[in-house]
Amino acid sequence: MKKRFKYKTLDEMRWEAITLGIDIPFSDDFGVFKRPVDLGSETISNRFVDQPMEGNDAQIDGTPGPLTLRRYRRLAEGGAGIIWVEAIAISREVRGNEKQLMLINETIGAFKSFVAEIKDVSLKANGFEPYVVAQLTHPGRFGKNRKILFHDRFLDEKYGITEDFPIMSDEELENLKYDYLKAAKLAERAGFDAVDIKACHRYLLSELLAAHTRGGKYGGSYENRTRLLKDIIKLVREEVEIDITVRLNLSDFIPYPYGWGSNEEGSLDFTEPKRLLKELEELGVKIINVTASTPYLKPHINRPYDEMGKYNPPEHPITGAMRLLNLAKLAKENLSKTLVVASGFTWFRQFAPYVAAGALKNNWCDFVGFGRMTFAYPDYPKDILFKGSLDPKRVCITCNKCAELKAAGESCGCVIRDGEVYLPIYKKMEESQKK
């Protein structure tokens, strides 16, 4: 269902939502964004989160490259309380591609400088240091050294996975705990405030949650499928003085027995995700960053958009954006201490502050996360906080060109709003695809 964003006023958007049977939580009380959050370990200055968006622009050795540094300087100047740094490979062997960040002994010096600069730039520009999270990741079936955890009928078919494709052993999974621990120790040394034990979008720990058809220690039962994620968190908590967060799929929106958050009757079922939320809280996880599905199969679910090439989204983008907000609400209702980051605001463009304020005011979440908007409009927090509005000529238009660049292995950013840097890269990509 291709729908272009056409709203001139907030009332026009509100009316269309009503015709779709959707109640968007609007509010014009932007004071909610300025309320600090005391984590015990640190105080976060405002409610904005720059979500982890991979730029495919690291150096060959895994250190931040010139475009990486440029992006994060702009985010630091932009004024978000939390800067959630994009996927960082936990070892050389599991690096997703040669342009992905990698935190190992050889790169620790560069990461110390990187984190220090983020904090210093924000302190000078905004008067505070942001809370900086390192997203530690294993790409699983999407990495360059591809292995799967089990055969998934939907993803196998799309990516040509054959019956003889290598499957990771229980021993390999067991050993990964210590790679995560090592990376967490390095993150602490580098000055990060927290690590994200990433369990979303069907990367390794996310896929493991859905391993109903896998045998052994890490498959089949709920206890087995959640074991590695929880064991990693326990290990890091015991040995590293750093906060722990998790970016978590609450559902893959993939049918059972290949999905997480679905049941044998073919319906969504949040029984297990709600149980995991409570167990993560008991393990001391400070923040849950809520998301869903995978961009490799159903991109409209984790990033609602207007149009995207040949892929025709099967729903109105308002439906997709509100699904993400309702998932955050579900998480918030099932947690008492752990804080929740909501996603799904970028599609609302210049009206996003009203939706974000409504979500905070109604206690659907504790923080509001913006992803693609950070590429297009890195200082969106500052404009909301001090101007009380977003410039319609600067907002992300969800054209998906940044994702096209990433899919092609190119350095990615906003082709429309940051065209001086990224339009030439995009044009070069288009030319190469024509050949």
Side-chain angles (χ1 to χ4, degrees):
M1 181 188 290
K2 292 187 178 181
K3 296 289 291 185
R4 284 196 173 276
F5 188 96
K6 60 184 186 303
Y7 314 106
K8 297 286 194 290
T9 68
L10 192 61
D11 284 340
E12 287 181 19
M13 177 187 285
R14 192 195 307 265
W15 178 249
E16 178 141 10
I18 289 170
T19 65
L20 293 168
I22 295 172
D23 185 17
I24 300 176
F26 292 114
S27 174
D28 59 3
D29 178 12
F30 291 179
V32 293
F33 299 127
K34 298 180 180 180
R35 295 174 186 167
V37 179
D38 184 4
L39 277 185
S41 55
E42 307 220 17
T43 297
I44 299 173
S45 297
N46 60 53
R47 301 304 179 104
F48 292 110
V49 177
D50 290 338
Q51 295 280 40
M53 298 291 292
E54 286 190 75
N56 266 10
D57 48 23
Q59 306 274 46
I60 193 71
D61 64 356
T63 60
L67 287 178
T68 320
L69 296 170
R70 176 183 182 269
R71 281 190 297 117
Y72 284 95
R73 285 188 199 108
R74 286 161 57 111
L75 294 179
E77 290 171 351
I82 299 178
I83 296 180
W84 206 292
V85 175
E86 67 198 79
I88 303 172
I90 58 172
S91 72
R92 194 182 306 276
E93 292 73 26
V94 307
R95 197 175 182 193
N97 58 67
E98 292 184 348
K99 295 181 179 179
Q100 185 178 56
L101 294 170
M102 177 172 57
L103 186 52
I104 57 177
N105 286 327
E106 291 83 354
T107 64
I108 183 65
F111 274 96
K112 282 183 179 179
S113 298
F114 173 62
V115 177
E117 183 169 13
I118 289 173
K119 295 191 172 191
D120 184 58
V121 169
S122 178
L123 185 62
K124 290 175 179 175
N126 308 302
F128 65 85
E129 293 185 353
Y131 186 83
V132 186
V133 182
Q135 184 176 72
L136 305 183
T137 190
H138 186 304
R141 68 167 61 221
F142 302 114
K144 62 179 182 179
N145 299 319
R146 297 170 69 192
K147 282 190 176 181
I148 60 174
L149 298 172
F150 58 91
H151 283 285
D152 177 323
R153 178 164 68 85
F154 301 96
L155 285 165
D156 284 10
E157 181 180 339
K158 181 167 182 180
Y159 290 97
I161 303 296
T162 57
E163 284 298 319
D164 59 352
F165 205 82
I167 293 177
M168 291 186 73
S169 68
D170 281 2
E171 183 180 6
E172 288 176 289
L173 290 173
E174 180 77 16
N175 290 335
L176 282 178
K177 291 189 296 189
Y178 305 102
D179 289 336
Y180 276 95
L181 175 61
K182 182 177 180 181
K185 288 180 176 179
L186 292 172
E188 179 194 21
R189 285 176 53 196
F192 285 100
D193 300 293
V195 290
D196 166 17
I197 310 301
K198 182 180 182 180
C200 66
H201 301 159
R202 291 298 287 240
Y203 296 107
L204 185 124
L205 291 177
S206 172
E207 183 171 41
L208 197 56
L209 297 176
H212 301 277
T213 61
R214 181 186 172 97
K217 183 178 179 180
Y218 295 107
S221 69
Y222 168 84
E223 289 78 10
N224 285 355
R225 289 180 282 114
T226 60
R227 185 192 308 276
L228 185 59
L229 172 61
K230 291 185 288 188
D231 282 354
I232 291 168
I233 290 168
K234 290 174 188 175
L235 195 59
V236 172
R237 186 189 63 186
E238 289 168 1
E239 299 202 24
V240 190
E241 289 294 325
I242 197 167
D243 289 348
I244 300 173
T245 68
V246 178
R247 183 140 163 85
L248 180 68
N249 266 18
L250 288 197
S251 177
D252 299 336
F253 290 84
I254 296 173
Y256 180 91
Y258 307 108
W260 161 252
S262 59
N263 61 30
E264 296 179 45
E265 286 72 46
S267 304
L268 290 177
D269 187 339
F270 295 106
T271 303
E272 289 189 346
K274 288 193 288 187
R275 179 179 172 183
L276 181 59
L277 284 168
K278 291 176 181 177
E279 290 174 351
L280 294 179
E281 182 169 69
E282 290 168 3
L283 289 173
V285 171
K286 290 288 185 76
I287 302 173
I288 301 287
N289 192 332
V290 173
T291 184
S293 195
T294 170
Y296 299 97
L297 192 63
K298 298 183 177 182
H300 65 280
I301 290 181
N302 73 293
R303 51 172 189 254
Y305 57 87
D306 290 348
E307 295 184 17
M308 190 177 77
K310 298 177 181 178
Y311 184 90
N312 190 4
E315 63 187 12
H316 195 294
I318 287 179
T319 300
M322 285 306 300
R323 179 190 294 112
L324 288 170
L325 295 183
N326 280 309
L327 288 175
K329 180 184 177 188
L330 182 150
K332 183 66 178 169
E333 290 170 347
N334 283 274
L335 295 166
S336 57
K337 296 178 292 185
T338 299
L339 304 176
V340 173
V341 180
S343 302
F345 300 103
T346 290
W347 181 82
F348 292 103
R349 282 36 165 216
Q350 64 267 30
F351 305 120
Y354 298 94
V355 184
L360 287 169
K361 194 164 186 178
N362 285 287
N363 201 35
W364 287 20
C365 59
D366 302 285
F367 299 99
V368 292
F370 288 78
R372 292 165 291 174
M373 189 74 82
T374 65
F375 281 160
Y377 198 159
D379 52 343
Y380 74 92
K382 192 175 288 186
D383 276 6
I384 296 172
L385 290 168
F386 299 107
K387 296 181 181 178
S389 64
L390 289 178
D391 184 347
K393 295 180 180 179
R394 298 187 63 203
V395 295
C396 170
I397 61 171
T398 69
C399 67
N400 209 52
K401 287 181 170 56
C402 57
E404 289 179 51
L405 286 169
K406 183 178 183 298
E410 301 290 346
S411 297
C412 49
C414 186
V415 176
I416 306 300
R417 307 303 192 194
D418 200 5
E420 185 175 343
V421 173
Y422 293 101
L423 183 57
I425 299 173
Y426 188 81
K427 287 182 175 179
K428 183 180 178 181
M429 177 198 73
E430 285 188 309
E431 289 300 316
S432 67
Q433 291 176 345
K434 291 176 183 177
K435 294 177 181 178

